[in-house]
Amino acid sequence: MLKVSAPGKCILLGEHAVVYGHPALAVSIDMRLELKISKLTTTSKFHMINGKEINRKHHPHIFDALQEIWSSKSQMLNINVSSEIPTSAGLGSSAALSVAIAMGLNSLKDKKEDLEKISTIAHKLEASAQGGLASPMDTSTSTHGGCVLLANKKLGDNWLYSRTLNDKKWEIHSFDLHQNMKNASIVIGYTGINGSTAQMVKNVKEKLDNNPELIQDIEAINALTALGVNAIENGDLEALGAVMNLNHNHLQNLGVSCKELDELVEVARETSLGAKLTGAGGGGCMIALSQNPKQTARDIELAGGRSYICKFGVEGVKIKDFE
Ligand code: PMV
């Protein structure tokens, strides 16, 4: 039996601006998805997922991964999925599944761990399950862990590799978190509302078309992301929190926040270094960088959100057991 685990992610800075060619920064979080994979010894004609015959409609990522990676057509597999990552909340749950299944099947097959290959396959699985579109942000962060910067050009020494999908190209960079960053947690506040990423991206485009001056907000987010990268490398928690606060204001101007997110951000700021929405907005989650995570989490709960206290910059995909 093989056990593999992959982390979720949150976007620290740069969402929406990334759609207009600017960098965005994500970190892995210690909410993980775990897969257990074993070879079926019975003469089943189907792979089994959580005790049921596989069905593409329910498990597109796993189905496609089996097609792509698992060549031994007569050996059926028993796959169990368990996850701490809430789904449809912008925390990378489907990316963690794509990464874990790619890593698991690849390891069962040739036992070599090649993270760039895993992240490439996982990105393809995500894109195919989402009708052809997906940025490699979630899958590369879940694969490598730590802190990942996605940009449309190579930025300095932290460049890992380029990723292309159809006519789109991204440059993936990986950053080490300064020791000091371990002195804070990310507290996630989930509104319980599932915003649609595609719809929010469309709304921003319409808003920019009608109000061209809003491009200043996109450019400001770009500058803040660069400051955030410096803060992370220098271990300056206060600076990172301040940059997150400012980033949220620009996302509000772009119309992607909502009453529920703003309320959680406001209460979280009282006990944290900075707070902002994370991901597409219109619902989903906010994050707070906090050195008082229990208090911040309590205040988020009192304001009606569901809270999760997370370590961030944790290890990427890993094989936990090979029997
Ligand atoms: O909610 P998420 O984690 O899927 O993030 C969306 C981020 C956007 O910048 C709004 C869209 C994108 O494709 O990068």
Side-chain angles (χ1 to χ4, degrees), residues 4-17:
V4 42
S5 123
K9 71 94 193 38
C10 66
I11 299 183
L12 272 189
L13 297 161
E15 52 274 268
H16 287 289

Side-chain angles (χ1 to χ4, degrees), residues 38-54:
S38 55
K39 293 182 178 167
L40 275 171
T41 46
T42 53
T43 51
S44 170
K45 287 202 182 92
F46 301 97
H47 298 290
M48 302 296 284
I49 314 292
N50 288 354
K52 296 210 174 97
E53 287 172 6
I54 190 163

